[in-house]
Amino acid sequence: MYVGIDIGGTQIKYGLVDETAQVFEKGAVDTPKEKEAFLTQVATIIQTYQDQHTDIEGVGISAPGVIQKDGMMTTAGAIRSLYGTNLKEEIEARTGLSAVIENDANAAAIAEKWVGNARDFDTYLCIVLGTGVGGGIVINGEVFRGARGMAGEFGWAIINELPEEGNVEFASLNLRSAVIGGLCRLYNEALKETQPEATPTWDAREIFQRYSENDPIAHKVVTRFYQDLAIGLMNLISQFDPEAILIGGGISANEQFIEGLQEAMNTLESRHESITFIKQYGWAPILPTKLKNDAGIIGAVYPLYKKSQKL
């Protein structure tokens, strides 16, 4: 049995995971922003399981940011107090258990290979849409991390229309095609221009509902959201030639979103002469992930399970 922990900017989700990837005794707590409070909270979760179960073999932790193979967190998403922290060493010292630390998008990609929609693929990409755009790259069944742990930071990619001055990241996937940083942010900005007193929304479901009701602001923003995301995905397919791209994050459960994205991709691909030609020989499909909210917990412990199978 393993402890799986999925760290988010808002909440820490956790559970026990067995060798069949079943998750038991799940829970969630708010994510502390200060380093010591955060480490104490995570250690408490693990120690509670240790007190209740004698067969805990290790801890797998999924976290945002650029994470080195040795557990050093170069960045940690919105949890800035963890920048430069070796989370593996900190957790092992507090619990006495072996720990592995994995980027959240990589964990989602690994989980889908273990028991999700990537079981039949060896080379694929996993895109997680949330506050930003995270990515996991799996090549020949192994996660590709790059020289510095930064591989898969697809959200940093610039897609089009650079601002005339200032931060060019406003033309990135993170700020154009993420759910919070892109869709919701752009909708609220557009809403404020015409309705300054309107209450902003950070729930994509509300925006898609207004889109379905032909609200002109929602229609314009969602249409552009689909187009920008489709551009990013077309670029990734051209660069990596994966067997498939899996889309994760809460939005992936929305059938309207998947259908709209596929329609946008079909439209753009039909206007790209080289892609139109090559598609007759095969082109990566866009699929939703299977595991949804448990993906981080399951993927985080997979390296521990895999190691145990080799012993």
Side-chain angles (χ1 to χ4, degrees), residues 115-160:
V115 289
N117 286 340
R119 281 174 290 184
D120 296 329
F121 305 136
D122 288 319
T123 298
Y124 61 95
L125 305 178
C126 185
I127 313 297
V128 179
L129 301 178
T131 302
V133 179
I137 305 168
V138 177
I139 299 175
N140 297 326
E142 299 290 337
V143 171
F144 177 72
R145 293 180 171 80
R148 301 168 186 84
M150 291 191 294
E153 290 291 341
F154 299 142
W156 293 348
I158 305 297
I159 48 175
N160 53 22

Side-chain angles (χ1 to χ4, degrees), residues 5-54:
I5 297 177
D6 183 14
I7 297 168
T10 303
Q11 281 194 320
I12 299 172
K13 294 179 290 185
Y14 54 89
L16 291 178
V17 186
D18 68 10
E19 66 279 358
T20 67
Q22 294 297 307
V23 184
F24 307 92
E25 300 182 27
K26 294 190 289 185
V29 295
D30 291 341
T31 304
K33 301 305 180 184
E34 297 302 320
K35 177 178 176 178
E36 192 56 39
F38 172 89
L39 294 173
T40 298
Q41 178 66 82
V42 172
T44 298
I45 292 169
I46 298 166
Q47 289 162 356
T48 299
Y49 282 131
Q50 287 179 291
D51 291 341
Q52 298 171 350
H53 302 272
T54 60

Side-chain angles (χ1 to χ4, degrees), residues 108 110-113 115-117 289-295 298-299:
I110 296 169
E112 290 294 322
K113 177 63 176 174
V115 289
N117 286 340
T289 54
K290 176 182 178 180
L291 300 174
K292 311 305 179 194
N293 289 333
D294 286 343
I298 294 171

Side-chain angles (χ1 to χ4, degrees), residues 71-123:
M72 175 62 72
M73 303 188 73
T74 305
T75 67
I79 314 171
R80 299 196 67 86
S81 64
L82 293 183
Y83 282 38
T85 298
N86 190 310
L87 190 56
K88 173 181 170 66
E89 292 180 356
E90 295 282 359
I91 296 304
E92 288 182 343
R94 284 168 167 78
T95 66
L97 290 172
S98 175
V100 294
I101 317 298
E102 185 61 89
N103 166 270
D104 50 7
N106 286 346
I110 296 169
E112 290 294 322
K113 177 63 176 174
W114 191 6
V115 289
N117 286 340
R119 281 174 290 184
D120 296 329
F121 305 136
D122 288 319
T123 298

Side-chain angles (χ1 to χ4, degrees), residues 190-265:
L191 184 65
K192 188 175 182 179
E193 289 181 3
T194 58
Q195 303 176 39
E197 303 303 318
T199 301
T201 179
W202 298 100
D203 187 339
R205 292 170 296 184
E206 293 184 13
I207 300 172
F208 279 107
Q209 180 61 39
R210 295 170 190 174
Y211 173 78
S212 299
E213 296 168 353
N214 294 316
D215 174 85
I217 297 175
H219 188 274
K220 179 179 179 180
V221 172
V222 171
T223 298
R224 185 56 185 268
F225 168 72
Y226 281 140
Q227 178 179 292
D228 288 342
L229 182 55
I231 290 170
L233 296 179
M234 286 171 56
N235 288 339
L236 291 173
I237 295 173
S238 301
Q239 293 158 3
F240 288 94
D241 186 25
E243 295 171 82
I245 291 185
L246 277 65
I247 305 291
I251 197 172
S252 67
N254 185 328
E255 292 184 7
Q256 178 188 11
F257 160 73
I258 295 293
E259 291 173 1
L261 175 60
Q262 190 60 67
E263 182 179 342
M265 291 196 69

